Amino acid sequence: MNHSTHVFPALPTQPTSQALVSHAGLSVLTSFLNALDFRQLCEDRFSQFVPATATHRPGKILGALALSLAAGGEQASDIDQLRTAPELFGPVASDATVSRFMGRLKDQPEAFEYGFATMTRSLRTKIWAAAGPRNPARLATPANPLIIDIDASLVHVHSDKENSAGTYKGGYGFSPMIAMADYGKTNGTGEVLAVQLRPGNRGANSAKSHIEVLNQALAQLHHDFYDEHGNLQAEKILVRTDSAGSSREFLHHLQSLGIQFSTSYSLPVLRERFIRWIDEKKYWEPALDAGGGQRADAWVIDASKVLELKGYPAGTRIYLRAEPLHSGAKASLFDTDGNRVTAFLTNSPRFNVAFLDARHRARGRCENRIKTLKSTGLGKLPYWSFAANQAWADLAMFAVNLVAWLQLAVLPGGHEASVWDLKRWRYRLFSMAGKLVSGGRQRRLLIPKNAPEAQLLFQLQQNIRLLFQRWRHGELAA
């Protein structure tokens, strides 16, 4: 008789009436929202969207949707995961209540957009102030400005929705423009400042869209970026884009505001002698890798005196980078010596060529934020109404930012979780199981002490309590 050996233990499964919780790790976010006084803030901004006698208030509805998206939910009905644990998450609105709430939002989109923008700015100001020495506003200087990345992406849909349209890739859907703040490699993952939902046929190189989303992002910044007269201290900000943001109209707009820029640039067709000059690597200097060390197979150079820029803002310089062609890459007109040559423009007051190149190449981090944003709700817009989908995109942004704010203001500096993306937070912490017990007239949440991130959860809860006490007693001025 043959006996099979199982890969894993084969245990019988049966239902139980015990109070088990499958997303106990989300208690970190519920505690954080409570400490931020999220309920009252939402009541001030959104009370007009619910009846005065409604049981489920705006803060509870928006908070539950944000928790669901942070945990990996894809649509409004996924809050049923929270509904199974009322002892931990409290009473959760029904799907019909959420649907009616979203219906009221789409009827008054301007009121919701204004309320949401002022709410997130208020929270951001409070959290950045609590970050202390890691406050991005206080770290920003003209030499090391706060970087705002702007990029467009595509969101494909599989049914007809208001304002959806064909995309340049042959798909159908939307082309949102997104503005993000980059804290730097060692200071958290950064956050999303604004998401502007657009029809799918809107170009990524639209100067108008870049200006609109930039204005939304600037309105979200901490008051430390403004002087006593309310004027923007633009020299402490750098806008970084791909080549879609290199239009003269947009760069002149940035120059008029006094904002620094670093944008990729598509090289024009050059005369033969310029191509031969590019091949002479003796004039170039080694590029830097992500860790700040020199690379032996990549070079950079200031080409401003060789390549003439016409119609661009005064002080704009062009830098070139050469590195070996990737496997399978097709050589262009300029790649005559086996190296790919790319360019970027900047008006930065710094002139260290290798540093400027490394800073511009760090733009790749914004691609990760867009990927995270799509996996947190932006990738599947659930409503037909364009206004409702814009509100959903705002909620996705808020869910992503909740975790970014945790990393910035609650986690100790240098903690390994300070650079985790949201997918890792879901797997390591938010999906942690727990058990609810009662004793001494108090309910408690029990967490397995041998869970890999149990200590992280306890540390976050403790730090959130300390922050709440400091906010409550006015020790942290926003």
Side-chain angles (χ1 to χ4, degrees), residues 295 297-299 321-332 335 337-342 361:
R295 286 189 54 174
D297 59 349
W299 305 267
R321 175 189 176 90
E323 61 184 336
L325 283 167
H326 299 297
S327 178
K330 184 178 180 180
S332 69
D335 306 330
D337 63 345
N339 290 303
R340 168 60 44 86
V341 177
T342 55
R361 285 178 61 81

Side-chain angles (χ1 to χ4, degrees), residues 1 12 17 45 93 142 165 180 192 224 230 325 381 388:
M1 180 176 180
S17 59
R45 301 302 196 279
M180 300 150 280
V192 184
D224 280 352
L325 283 167
L381 301 171

Side-chain angles (χ1 to χ4, degrees), residues 420-439:
W420 286 0
D421 63 11
L422 186 51
K423 184 182 292 186
R424 188 162 180 81
W425 279 91
R426 289 169 180 163
Y427 183 75
R428 301 292 297 182
L429 189 73
F430 297 160
S431 62
M432 189 181 296
K435 182 178 181 180
L436 295 165
V437 298
S438 299

Side-chain angles (χ1 to χ4, degrees), residues 18-152:
Q18 296 186 49
L20 306 178
V21 183
S22 61
H23 287 84
L26 283 176
S27 61
V28 169
L29 293 184
T30 61
S31 298
F32 194 39
L33 287 172
N34 288 338
L36 289 168
D37 200 16
F38 183 70
R39 179 187 177 93
Q40 185 57 49
L41 193 58
C42 286
E43 195 68 27
D44 293 340
R45 301 302 196 279
F46 308 115
S47 58
Q48 70 269 35
F49 297 108
V50 297
T53 58
T55 300
H56 298 286
R57 306 308 301 169
K60 193 58 187 291
I61 296 174
L62 294 175
L65 289 172
L67 287 178
S68 175
L69 291 173
E74 295 183 341
Q75 53 192 357
S77 60
D78 286 336
I79 62 172
D80 61 355
Q81 291 288 333
L82 310 182
R83 203 176 291 127
T84 60
E87 299 88 352
L88 179 60
F89 300 110
V92 177
S94 66
D95 292 349
T97 300
V98 174
S99 179
R100 288 192 294 270
F101 180 76
M102 297 301 293
R104 297 186 188 100
L105 298 188
K106 72 179 179 62
D107 293 335
Q108 304 179 61
E110 294 85 3
F112 177 77
E113 282 298 308
Y114 177 79
F116 194 87
T118 55
M119 179 198 73
T120 52
R121 186 181 190 276
S122 178
L123 292 175
R124 179 173 292 105
T125 298
K126 191 173 185 177
I127 291 162
W128 282 20
R134 291 185 290 166
N135 183 341
R138 295 175 185 171
L139 290 174
T141 65
N144 293 289
L146 175 73
I147 297 175
I148 298 178
D149 288 305
I150 298 179
D151 202 358

